[in-house]
Each structure stands twice: as C-alpha cells, then as structure tokens.
Amino acid sequence: MDNNSRNWRCAEKGQLLAICALLLLQNFLVFSQKFAETTSSVHIVYMGDKMYHNPESTKKYHHQMLSSLLGSKEAAKSSILYSYKHGFSGFAARLTKSQAEEIEKCPGVVSVIPNRIHRLHTTRSWDFIGIHHSSSKTVFTGSNLGEGTIIGVIDTGIWPESSSFNDEAMGEIPSRWKGACQVGENFNSTNCNKKIIGARWFLKGMHDHTKKLIHGNGTSEYLSARDAIGHGTHTASTAAGYFVGDANYRGLASGLARGGAPLAHLAIYKVCWDISVGSCSDADILKAFDMAIHDGVDVLTVSLGVGIPVFSYVDQRDTIAIGSFHATAKGITVVCSAGNSGPMSQTVTNTAPWILAVAATTIDRVFTAAITLGNNLTVWGQSIDAVKHNLGTVGLTYSERVALDPSDYLAKDCQSGSLNETLAAGKIVLCFSVSNQQDIVSASLAVKEAGGVGLIYAQYHDDGLNQCGLIPCIKVDYEVGTQLLTYIRRSRFPTASLSFPKTVIGKWVSPRVASFSSRGPSSMSPTVLKPDIAAPGVDILAAFPPEGTSKSSGFAFLSGTSMSCPHVAGIAALIKSKHPTWSPAAIRSALVTTASQTGTDGGLISEEGSTPKSADPFDIGGGHVNPNKAMDPGLIYNITTEDYIQFLCSMGHNSASISKVTKTTTSCKKEEHQALNLNIPSISVPNLKRATTVMRTVTNVGNITALYKALVKAPYGIKVRVEPQILCFNSEIRVLTFNVSFNSTQKLHSGYRFGSLTWTDGKHFVRTPIVVRTLQFEL
C-alpha cells in the first residue's frame, strides 16, 4: 500500500471515530442520569473484519469508542470485558439497553447483541472406523499420526495430568505457534508441554451473566484452564490423545486408548463452566475463536451449539457461525457437533456451510449384563455399573407394587419419594420409563432411598449408558421389561440375580445412527445438506478427571455428538498433516465423498428413530467417516471465501449486510440457482418445481492422468442427467466443471427422496449424496 492510500485509510478511520464521538456526545448528557439508574449487562459490539492490521490499534479504537459513550477512559476500562482484535473486530462490554442502542448507531458497528448462554452437546472407536494404531511405534500410512498439526479445543478445559496428554515422542512445537499457557487456579506453566502447547480460559461473559462467582458456589470449578466437568478432557483426548495401554473404565472396554491424531498438538480454550452442567457464553466463545485464529491452530473442535430455532448466518447472535466464518477464512477447519435433539427431523444445528457438522453413531461394542430369574430364565440388558456387589439372589418387585401411594402414577418410573421403604427394602425394583422427567440415574436414587438394592430400568430405545454408582443398574427395552413384569405377576415369590457387565465386541451390527443425534434437513438453509458426516459418539471411552478415589482409572464413557465431533477433528488433523496446503473445504470434501453407507453386516447403515429404518443423508450426511479413504479421495470440491459470500447473497441478504460481517467489498451477483451451486460435496434441491440444473467443480488430487466416469443412483421419481459423463484430467487440466440436471417424472407433491452421484476412475469412488423434494403446488 502506498503512502497516499495509507494516509487516506487512516483519515477515514479517524473520521469514523469522530462521527461516532459526536453522535454519542449528543446523547451523553441526555441519557447520563438514565444510564446511572439502569442495570447494565454484557453486550457484544460486533464490527466485522479488522480495520487495523495491528491488534493493539484495533484495541485502542475499541476503547476510544467506548470512552466516547461512557464519558471517560476509566469508565470504558471498567466496562469492557474483551477486545476482539485478531480474526475480526469488536468487543464485549457491560452496557445498559440505552447505551447499546446508542453505540449501534456508530459507523462501522455491524450490530450489538446481548450475551447469551450455550450448552455442551453432550478406544475401540478408532479400531472400528479403521485406524489401527497398535502402539506408539506404528505409523498410520502417510499421515505421521497428525505430527506438526495443532488442534484447538473450545470446551470445558483439560485435566493435564491425564496420561493421554504426556508428550512422549511428540515433535517440537511448530514455530508458527503464537499461543500461551495461561496460569490460574491449580494450573501453571508446567502443565503445558509439547502435547498441550497452549491453554487459555475465558470467564468474563459467563461471570457477568450469572452475576456471581463460579468458584465457591457449590461447584468444583477451577478459575483456570483446568477441567472440572470432564467434557473438554474427554473431547481433547478423543481428538489427539497419546497412546495409553490398558485404558478402561472399572475393567470395562480395556485396551489401548489413543486419539485420532496422537502426535498432533493441543491448544485448549476453556469457555464452558460448571453451571447447569456446562454453560458457555457468547462473549467467551467469540473470544476463544479470536484467540485461536491469532494463536495459529489448524483445526478447531467445538462440541457445543444453540438450539432450534437457529439464527441467520449473518445474525451476530450465532457466535459459532460468525467465529467459524472468520476461522475458515483464515484456513482453519472448524468441526462442530450436530446436536443431540434427535431423532426428530429438522433439529440439526451448526448448519452454516463452512462448518463441518457431525452426527453420532454406535460402534460394535456393547456392555451386556444378565438378569437371571427364579424360574432359571435369563434375559439380557446393558450396564456400565461395574461396582462390586454381593447381592446373590434377592427379591424382585415391580415399582407399582411397592408404591407409597398405589394411585400415584409417579411410582411407575420410580420418581423420588414415590416408593414405600418397607416394601422396597432389600429388593431389586423394576421401573418403566413413562416420562421425559425421569432417567435411570434419578430412578436409582429413588430406589436407593427406599432401601432397594438394585434397579432394572425398562425404557424406549435410547443410545448411551449412564453409571448409577450407588446400586447396580441394568437398562432393558420394553420387550424385556414386559417379560420381567409377566414373571413378577405370575410368581408368588419372584427373585432375580444381576451379573456384572462384560464387554462384548463384534457381535452387534453397527454402526447405527444414535437415537439422540440431531437430524436434517437444515431449517435455515435446506440447500446445504446437514449433517455433513457421521462418526462414533455412543459410549466412547476417553480421558476424564479422576473421580476423587485412588481407584479411578482416569477414563470414562460419554455419549453425544460432542463425542463424534472430535473423532472427525482428529481425522481432519491427519489429512492436514498429509496435505498441509489443503483448504478447510478440501478437507471436508475428502471426508464426505469417501464416507461409508454400509454396516458391519454388509447392509445399509440403520438409524434408530421412532422405528428403525435405513439411514439417509439427513441422518448421516455423506455417510460414516472412513479415514483411510479420506487420505486419498481422488477428487475434491473446493470453495473460496467469496463463494460463501455469494451463498449468503442467495439467501436474500444484501451486499451491505454481508459487507458489515466480512468488512470486504461485496457485490452480490444475480445468478440463477445460486444457492444450489455452492460447490459443496453434496447436492440438495429442496423445491424442485421444474427442470433444474446444478453446477459443480472438482479438482483432481490423485494421479495426474486420470479418467473418471459418472455413476448415478437417481432418487425415486426423479430423472437425473450428468454432463459430461466422463472427466479427463492430465498435467494441464486439474480442474473440471460438470452439470447435473433434475426433472420430476411424477406430477405429485413429494417428500424428500435420496440418491447419489459417484465419480470413479476404478480406484477412487467420489460419492456425492443427492437430496430432492418435488413441489407441484404451493402449500
């Protein structure tokens, strides 16, 4: 930039600040008394991309703006919580409603939004998906185990003493790393090493929102990057934990534990705190994204999100969409959990096209426990309650038979205080889940309070096991529960004995889509298929803070899309290690187009909704992640930041509103089917009314000379034509474009139908899922 241009830009920034100061000064005297009497709360003043290359100049600009509003530098310093100055521009500050309205009028301010709270999306899995690291001495083909990459974890912090985070055989910290090891309560600089190369914690937004100190309020929380909840430790070790032999949870699932990229470095950003089991504020999340961009991470794993309804992608209330946009623009792959609101449709979250959203599936490992009845019949359930007990054969009863009040419906699922202590004492109690207000852990507490010694909990299909701890618990389905109830009703003195759970591998068809995993289509942008992909997320064994006993193994089972998310983040790091120049879009494409649609029995992957069925793209996106094939995808679909901007244009946002977010000159193009033509590795046509043509562009990343043929599996009732049907690549032609035309063969309004387009050269099979819904009339 020449001196004249630099001087002009400096003058422009000074002019903006002067205009803002005048606007605020006009209102300062009028509102000063009102401001003093009004309660303030944290607001995020979002200003889009940075105005200054120097972060300190950006920070100074923020303070000057706030000083003009509040009347003094001291008031501004007291009010401001964070200055966002690395990946984008803005700040979080305590403002009254009137102050927020006034500062929003300033030139350069995109929007001012109140601080909100988000929730977390709460071993064998790596062998199951094909990464066979038998020890720290083996090398996964071509990937170097993620060596040299940096995975950022935005979560609840980390337990650094876990053996998963030792830095044995770790390479040197990359020279590009700009992060820090922030000290705090029970966390000092020695807790970082060549594995955990950085740790930061962000509390100001949460602290101000709750109006109380987190520490000392009945929580075990630490004012540092140390993890009190365990969620962040679990996700970090899943993504990049080092090799740990004989890892287990109380003897269950014993084996070699490791993350997807064992030699990748970890950067920890603690934003979620032990309030309501994992609360995270907008202000803190946005600051974590800002610092991760500054620090130099390659991949971000973010296992949290908002609920339905979702916000527009240019709505600053979706801080994950905004933060991830700026991260992606800087070359960082952002992987997020798809949500735990399944199996209902249209519940998927984190749906922005630049985010890689991950659904959850089961693996081929279960923990079975036998229930042997007095008539010698044995039925089976599942449990992870491996606490030793000496029950032997004891009385078995049904909860309604031991109800404190026989007319009380609460006894059916064993709610607190509903059981008669005299009748329940010393017995195993059978309870049936009949409401969303009760679960197996709460039921076990009620049975224990009434003197019961064991619990059998019958419920609808719900993936994931929870430990009861106080008494042995076994989960069964309604069919087994009904068998047990029939035995109780027919026997004069029903009895039962409960076995300890045991680990069984390879005997159950898998993967299955988890019942809780959120489903598509996206309610915000149905032209973008979400979720993108599926990965293991049920009963995942990973590192966990010790439970306060010397017998703690330092590992625990957790379930959720929170667990599937770091699986994909670890694989993304493996791909980045092998292909360091690949963009986030290229990495996402490699994962989606090589994913699997078949289970261990050779049939299609199934999903557990209201009734079991074959999984479709709204359940698993492109399919179940296949890391081996993703390393060599053959072709990739690439996307630039400008492509994402034009997609936002297609959603009806004008150039001005988009420019405010990106702080770039945006010119929205008037193109037909613009939303359909975003170059993602899937095709979704949600409103097919007449013949429609979609365009895609692929880049050859395989053999220099290659010939790919198109294989089409058309959705039922849809005619699909691909032109050209053959793609020829050579040393001079690496990028080619093709068109896919769709036309309905029926004159009926239909639901979504599914198909696929696969390009193959005989070695690679580059599969693109297709989703089409025909509309023959307006509803």
Side-chain angles (χ1 to χ4, degrees), residues 159-278:
W159 195 265
E161 290 81 8
S162 170
S163 49
S164 293
F165 306 126
N166 79 77
D167 61 356
E168 176 188 350
M170 288 295 299
E172 293 300 316
I173 297 173
S175 58
R176 68 182 186 280
W177 176 245
K178 299 178 183 178
C181 189
Q182 184 180 353
V183 300
E185 183 182 6
N186 289 356
F187 199 102
N188 56 47
S189 59
T190 62
N191 290 125
C192 292
N193 55 20
K194 288 189 290 184
K195 168 58 77 174
I196 306 172
I197 63 173
R200 300 182 187 270
W201 49 288
F202 308 97
L203 176 62
K204 294 176 182 178
M206 176 57 65
H207 176 236
D208 196 89
H209 186 91
T210 60
K211 304 299 182 185
K212 65 180 181 181
L213 285 171
I214 289 177
H215 187 258
N217 280 274
T219 76
S220 57
E221 190 55 89
Y222 302 91
L223 297 180
S224 69
R226 183 170 291 278
D227 185 7
I229 298 174
H231 190 275
T233 300
H234 198 280
T235 57
S237 65
T238 300
Y242 195 63
F243 299 91
V244 179
D246 195 28
N248 66 88
Y249 177 74
R250 302 191 176 190
L252 294 174
S254 182
L256 180 72
R258 74 279 187 184
L263 294 186
H265 305 280
L266 284 167
I268 306 303
Y269 302 91
K270 180 176 177 179
V271 300
C272 300
W273 299 83
D274 190 12
I275 295 177
S276 303
V277 193

Side-chain angles (χ1 to χ4, degrees), residues 669-689:
K669 302 174 183 177
K670 302 291 185 181
E671 294 181 357
E672 189 178 14
H673 306 314
Q674 199 167 1
L676 297 174
N677 289 334
L678 180 66
N679 203 42
I680 54 179
S682 60
I683 298 174
S684 179
V685 185
N687 300 304
L688 182 64
K689 298 178 182 179

Side-chain angles (χ1 to χ4, degrees), residues 548-564:
T549 67
S550 58
K551 297 181 181 180
S552 174
S553 66
F555 287 83
F557 294 113
L558 291 179
S559 297
T561 54
S562 280
M563 284 61 254
S564 56

Side-chain angles (χ1 to χ4, degrees), residues 10 101 138 171 250 749:
C10 290
E101 291 171 352
T138 64
R250 302 191 176 190
H749 187 91

Side-chain angles (χ1 to χ4, degrees), residues 261-341:
L263 294 186
H265 305 280
L266 284 167
I268 306 303
Y269 302 91
K270 180 176 177 179
V271 300
C272 300
W273 299 83
D274 190 12
I275 295 177
S276 303
V277 193
S279 295
C280 340
S281 84
D282 275 328
D284 298 331
I285 293 168
L286 206 54
K287 187 60 178 177
F289 272 107
D290 187 42
M291 294 311 302
I293 293 169
H294 166 269
D295 293 346
V297 305
D298 298 300
V299 178
L300 274 171
T301 177
V302 187
S303 289
L304 53 101
V306 298
I308 300 296
V310 295
F311 296 107
S312 159
Y313 306 138
V314 297
D315 189 318
Q316 286 68 45
R317 286 172 291 184
D318 189 348
T319 51
I320 295 176
I322 294 297
S324 61
F325 175 86
H326 291 285
T328 302
K330 299 297 190 296
I332 300 169
T333 300
V334 181
V335 185
C336 292
S337 46
N340 296 337
S341 299

Side-chain angles (χ1 to χ4, degrees), residues 335-353:
V335 185
C336 292
S337 46
N340 296 337
S341 299
M344 287 71 70
S345 65
Q346 298 184 330
T347 53
V348 64
T349 61
N350 292 321
T351 60

Side-chain angles (χ1 to χ4, degrees), residues 586-646:
I587 292 173
R588 188 255 299 274
S589 175
L591 289 163
V592 172
T593 60
T594 59
S596 171
Q597 292 76 48
T598 58
T600 53
D601 63 344
L604 293 175
I605 294 172
S606 64
E607 68 97 18
E608 295 284 356
S610 55
T611 56
K613 69 174 183 65
S614 296
D616 60 47
F618 291 152
D619 303 314
I620 57 175
H624 197 258
V625 66
N626 187 325
N628 291 288
K629 290 185 177 180
M631 296 296 160
D632 181 21
L635 305 176
I636 56 99
Y637 294 84
N638 223 336
I639 306 177
T640 66
T641 301
E642 177 61 23
D643 294 331
Y644 289 128
I645 291 173
Q646 291 304 318

